Amino acid sequence: MVSQLSQAALRDQRSQFHPFTAITDLMAEGPTVMESGSGIHVRDVDGREYIDGMAGLWCVNLGYGRREITEAIARQSERLSFFHTFNGMSSDVVAECAEALLQRAPVPMSRVFFGASGSDANETQLKLVWYYNNLRGKPEKKKIIARWNAYHGSGVATASLTGLPGMHTLFDLPKGPILHVSAPYYYRKAPEGMTERAFSQQLAQELEDLIEREGADTIAAFFAEAVMGAGGLIPPPEGYFEAICPILKKHDILLVADEVVSGFGRLGTYWGSQTYGYEPDLITSAKGVTSGYFPMSVCYISPKVWDVIESEAGKAGLFGHGYTYSAHPVGAAAALAALKLIDELKVVDNVADVGPYMLQALRDRLGQHAHVGDIRGKGLMLGIELVHDRGTKEALPMANRTGRQVLKAAANRGLITRALGDTLVFAPPLVITRADADAIVDRFGAAVEDVLPG
Ligand SMILES: Cc1ncc(COP(=O)(O)O)c(C=O)c1O
């Protein structure tokens, strides 16, 4: 986003293969290179300051430069910089962290399993689901249902669960026994005039029909984010989980709640499942658990699954799964510091206040704009979908890359957002104030008008 590339940008451009980046854009424009962060702000190597409206990648929930976390990391690095958890080994800080995490579960959970990323955690969940059904004598019950527009990670299995064709084509995915049902995308997919509740019923019927077609005895689990994130910022329509969950229960299908983004307060409750009132059998979390200060993921395992694993353990022998960095002691120290701050700063209450305030402020500022089709979200997960025509919902021409243009205009005004096609999204640090939300909305409103006047 700078005409003259800095040394750091040149170095990066010549040497780094970037994830989720269009190589042609990177070669033409160079990367934006950050050097420091404080609170909700980051600063690039050219000295420009931005409000980070995305908390990094929906993860720096407590903001940058939190001494309590950086000092906990430094202390633990000196005390015990690494130890593993294979073969029954552990470390004191990991034991404390596991207990603290269980205490914060939305429903009683039996164990936590650690990893280093949301992708590896969903990979663990997938394997656990298969392991569980093998152990309880249901080896045919293996298919997994996920949804179009879902994002569950970037590995072979998790990108297969992900319902984004751009992550499938050219990678020969999806692979494995994975089925997709429609996204609960009310704005785009509900028939004209249908209520949210009726749309939820329609989606539930589609799920039930699929289960009956495939045979419930072949279906093991349903993966779902509370609010879809990377697939377009899609909150569920009213009554969605209420309609889906009894079907899963009836057919003995596990519900895996992917709370990688929604966990630890982002929706204004500690967990996304609490916002929408459902009870997961397995929960995947990452990101906010350390506020992005250390790579860590956490799989929660309910008594229903754990009891089978424990009771069949003699038969199964060694549990043959895990990562070198499962339960890293430095990550555990970072998580303990972050969990304490979430409580002390009353972060969840703050989201419950500032989230709806920011949604309303976006609607007040842009709700009547000719090219703003939908402004939606929950807590501090907010999206603005740009369209060519508000009335017909006709999309903007893809070739214009309008979302990307607005993202750049916002950056020029000192604001980081993210463009998911022509839906611009915000997931700022959960510690933002109402005044910060106003600043984001002001800068964003101006950026939209820079690109799409009137
Ligand atoms: C809902 C969800 N699940 C899983 C992942 C994968 O996490 P990671 O990028 O840490 O592998 C993400 C990442 O954004 C996510 O949003």
Side-chain angles (χ1 to χ4, degrees), residues 191-335:
E192 191 60 37
M194 185 179 260
T195 64
E196 291 196 29
R197 281 204 169 262
F199 184 50
S200 293
Q201 283 305 326
Q202 176 179 303
L203 295 168
Q205 191 60 52
E206 178 193 346
L207 176 69
E208 181 118 55
D209 291 347
L210 176 71
I211 295 169
E212 270 158 24
R213 230 174 20 250
E214 297 286 329
D217 289 349
T218 71
I219 302 187
F222 179 79
F223 275 67
E225 298 154 85
V227 172
M228 289 181 152
L233 209 301
I234 305 168
E238 210 185 317
Y240 177 76
F241 283 102
E242 212 179 291
I244 295 283
C245 291
I247 297 171
L248 302 176
K249 228 178 209 120
K250 180 168 102 189
H251 294 293
D252 185 26
I253 295 169
L254 296 173
L255 172 57
V256 186
D258 185 339
E259 297 249 20
V260 167
V261 170
S262 55
F264 305 100
R266 182 152 294 283
L267 301 187
T269 50
Y270 209 93
W271 298 98
S273 63
Q274 293 165 322
T275 293
Y276 296 109
Y278 54 92
E279 293 195 1
D281 298 300
L282 297 161
I283 302 171
T284 308
S285 63
K287 297 193 191 264
V289 65
T290 64
S291 202
Y293 281 71
F294 198 90
M296 176 182 258
S297 62
V298 183
C299 295
Y300 282 86
I301 296 132
S302 65
K304 180 174 172 180
V305 176
W306 175 254
D307 290 351
V308 170
I309 294 175
E310 192 177 25
S311 69
E312 299 299 318
K315 188 169 86 191
L318 177 89
F319 176 62
H321 172 79
Y323 308 103
T324 298
Y325 298 124
S326 283
H328 198 298
V330 178

Side-chain angles (χ1 to χ4, degrees), residues 76-77 79-85 91 323-330:
Q76 185 60 40
S77 303
R79 199 170 155 258
L80 181 67
S81 58
F82 176 79
F83 211 76
H84 65 90
T85 43
S91 54
Y323 308 103
T324 298
Y325 298 124
S326 283
H328 198 298
V330 178

Side-chain angles (χ1 to χ4, degrees), residues 58 117-119 122 151-153 225 258 260-261 287:
W58 348 66
S117 72
S119 299
N122 274 328
Y151 188 83
H152 295 300
E225 298 154 85
D258 185 339
V260 167
V261 170
K287 297 193 191 264

